Amino acid sequence: MDQITFKHDTVLSDVHMHRPNSHHFMTRLTSVGQPVFMSRFRILAESRDDSNSGKGLTNEEKQISPKKGRVTFHEQDEEEGSQENVEPFLDEDGDLDVTHRPRKNSVDDGGRDLVCPIILQQSVPDLEQDEEIVDDEDDEEEHDCSKDIIRIEHTMATPLEDVGKQVWRGALLLADFILSNPDTFRGATILDMGAGTGLTSIVMATTAKTVYCTDVGDDVLRLCSRNVVLNKHIMESTGGEVKVKQLNWLQHSLCTDVDMEFSWTEEEVADLYDNTSFIIAADVCYDDDLTDSLFRTLYRLCSSFNHTCTVFISLEKRMNFSLRHMDVCCEAYSHFKHCLTQLQDLEDGRCRFTVEHVPLNFSQFLLYERIEQLELWKVTASSLAFEQTQSDSN
Ligand SMILES: C[S@@+](CC[C@H](N)C(=O)[O-])C[C@H]1O[C@@H](n2cnc3c(N)ncnc32)[C@H](O)[C@@H]1O
């Protein structure tokens, strides 16, 4: 067989499909043998004004980098450097020691990016060491420690159960919303559900105090943890902290077993219940059973808070031809809307939920196509006991 075939449930995020660069470098393998790639996401510099916030991209500017005058947002790692910097030298025996650089791809790919994996490091390197290697090169240091570059390790073309290892457009939309409304989240405690690579949590930590960045499965949580460490410099100035934790919507309680990686301490559980004022979730409604369990978890959490909590959910409507309906539709989206309605109609005497569709008129700080299928929803969960106390005290 000379054609590469994918398992029928293999999916590739559009974020990784439409690449401006021709090289895709594989940095290492995950513990389950999946190739890991590195992408850089540039946050637009403040100098770009628009009517909204004094920041972000106007439509004409979306393809232009403020610094380099070309498309640079969401750039795949360009670790190869320039050929002029390669200096051959003699080893101890006097042999010529030549450093081989990855070759530029000269094949005409008909306008599509070719994936040319090159292993730079096969073992799982110590992150501090990794940083030192980067520090050796001035350009890299400037590039990677810049506060407007988010570096994300991710995989490409995963089976459905590993979609969290890719970055999805919903994460970029939610990140844009956070960057457009930093004061809303300033100093807050946040829960990110189904955080995947952690990009949205990292952006949130540029303004929030504590972000509980949660997902399920050690492999995705390890990838996420690495990304948090890789981007520490972005959160340093604000003191925001990202805590990577296991939160499985299919389980009722949080794991507090100290022997388990990504478990919660008793203090963290208390902090989550006492102080979470926002819950965010990007692109987590693509399977009806999972959507049900997500909403059940949202209900369970919000109805046990003694304060108001606001939930932001971003999603992308993915249209498919349905044999059941004999038409193009998005069943996962219909189910999501059904869950929203159920939540809004709920009368349990403890909590009231209101649902709003958030218009996408906020600035774009990251480069991706803001297609019309992208949506952002806001759910406000008000504790009735809290409201009663408030009105009694007035
Ligand atoms: C499409 S990915 C979105 C990842 C990330 N938010 C983004 O937009 O790039 C869906 C995420 O939901 C997570 N997820 C699926 N089932 C889950 C469950 N039962 N509990 C917690 N997270 C779950 C997946 O692991 C994955 O990270």
Side-chain angles (χ1 to χ4, degrees):
M1 198 188 305
D2 47 14
Q3 284 283 316
I4 297 172
T5 53
F6 291 104
K7 272 170 60 182
H8 72 281
D9 68 345
T10 300
V11 286
L12 173 60
S13 165
D14 291 88
V15 172
H16 306 305
M17 203 181 306
H18 305 301
R19 319 313 318 274
N21 306 0
S22 59
H23 277 83
H24 291 226
F25 288 109
M26 186 168 89
T27 60
R28 62 185 178 90
L29 299 172
T30 64
S31 57
V32 292
Q34 293 161 331
V36 175
F37 298 82
M38 166 85 82
S39 286
R40 292 188 171 100
F41 296 82
R42 186 188 292 275
I43 301 173
L44 181 67
E46 295 208 18
S47 55
R48 293 274 146 172
D49 279 359
D50 85 351
S51 53
N52 241 357
S53 60
K55 296 181 185 179
L57 286 165
T58 59
N59 278 341
E60 299 73 43
E61 293 162 348
K62 279 177 187 160
Q63 301 301 316
I64 311 291
S65 154
K67 289 196 174 156
K68 299 182 188 168
R70 65 178 175 86
V71 176
T72 57
F73 296 82
H74 181 203
E75 45 199 10
Q76 193 82 31
D77 229 0
E78 288 180 293
E79 309 252 352
E80 75 266 39
S82 74
Q83 290 293 334
E84 294 86 339
N85 292 338
V86 181
E87 282 185 22
F89 58 92
L90 302 181
D91 69 10
E92 289 163 1
D93 307 326
D95 299 326
L96 192 62
D97 202 349
V98 180
T99 307
H100 290 271
R101 296 281 191 180
R103 284 188 198 146
K104 287 232 177 274
N105 192 341
S106 59
V107 181
D108 179 7
D109 59 13
R112 290 200 55 184
D113 291 337
L114 291 183
V115 175
C116 308
I118 296 163
I119 300 180
L120 299 179
Q121 294 151 328
Q122 203 159 9
S123 59
V124 180
D126 174 69
L127 276 171
E128 298 301 325
Q129 224 181 340
D130 194 23
E131 292 300 299
E132 277 168 25
I133 293 165
V134 166
D135 285 348
D136 282 349
E137 301 194 20
D138 288 349
D139 284 2
E140 288 292 309
E141 186 179 19
E142 197 197 330
H143 204 193
D144 291 340
C145 291
S146 157
K147 291 218 173 357
D148 61 1
I149 302 276
I150 302 173
R151 287 189 296 158
I152 295 291
E153 284 195 353
H154 59 88
T155 62
M156 291 207 260
T158 53
L160 265 181
E161 62 267 25
D162 279 330
V163 286
K165 294 175 187 167
Q166 301 184 54
V167 178
W168 298 87
R169 244 183 318 226
L172 301 179
L173 181 75
L174 200 45
D176 265 347
F177 181 72
I178 297 161
L179 291 164
S180 300
N181 299 281
D183 290 342
T184 305
F185 304 103
R186 201 173 306 286
T189 300
I190 314 280
L191 170 65
D192 187 354
M193 294 174 71
T197 59
L199 184 140
T200 316
S201 285
I202 290 163
V203 169
M204 183 57 101
T206 61
T207 180
K209 179 172 158 244
T210 308
V211 185
Y212 290 105
C213 171
T214 67
D215 211 295
V216 64
D218 286 352
D219 212 36
V220 70
L221 289 168
R222 277 186 205 128
L223 184 75
C224 184
S225 286
R226 283 182 63 93
N227 285 330
V228 171
V229 175
L230 278 173
N231 293 287
K232 255 188 182 155
H233 61 283
I234 294 175
M235 314 159 215
E236 255 161 20
S237 57
T238 55
E241 187 181 15
V242 178
K243 296 185 172 204
V244 179
K245 300 282 161 190
Q246 179 109 243
L247 192 163
N248 184 350
W249 315 328
L250 300 171
Q251 285 172 1
H252 279 239
S253 54
L254 300 172
C255 175
T256 51
D257 181 346
V258 286
D259 294 331
M260 301 293 287
E261 217 178 343
F262 309 113
S263 64
W264 300 69
T265 64
E266 298 295 344
E267 290 75 27
E268 286 163 347
V269 174
D271 183 38
L272 179 80
Y273 280 95
D274 292 345
N275 299 318
T276 301
S277 42
F278 295 96
I279 297 180
I280 55 171
D283 208 337
V284 287
C285 297
Y286 48 94
D287 170 279
D288 292 359
D289 292 337
L290 280 182
T291 303
D292 286 342
S293 60
L294 170 82
F295 273 82
R296 271 196 296 271
T297 308
L298 278 176
Y299 169 72
R300 223 175 17 246
L301 287 168
C302 293
S303 60
S304 52
F305 293 162
N306 280 324
H307 54 270
T308 297
C309 179
T310 308
V311 185
F312 288 103
I313 305 174
S314 68
L315 58 86
E316 180 175 337
K317 273 190 265 177
R318 297 190 177 90
M319 311 305 284
N320 289 310
F321 184 80
S322 154
L323 279 178
R324 188 149 66 96
H325 297 97
M326 290 306 283
D327 199 358
V328 176
C329 62
C330 180
E331 294 190 55
Y333 178 72
S334 307
H335 189 72
F336 166 74
K337 292 288 293 289
H338 170 72
C339 291
L340 279 181
T341 309
Q342 272 191 323
L343 205 55
Q344 184 151 253
D345 293 346
L346 196 106
E347 286 182 17
D348 66 349
R350 292 164 68 190
C351 200
R352 190 182 47 242
F353 294 88
T354 50
V355 175
E356 291 164 68
H357 184 230
V358 181
L360 304 191
N361 55 7
F362 46 89
S363 300
Q364 189 163 348
F365 288 81
L366 298 156
L367 187 74
Y368 59 99
E369 207 183 341
R370 220 184 247 184
I371 53 172
E372 62 183 29
Q373 288 82 6
L374 280 173
E375 291 192 359
L376 183 61
W377 289 85
K378 175 180 175 182
V379 177
T380 309
S382 313
S383 154
L384 297 181
F386 177 70
E387 281 186 354
Q388 187 62 47
T389 325
Q390 294 286 93
S391 74
D392 288 351
S393 63
N394 288 335

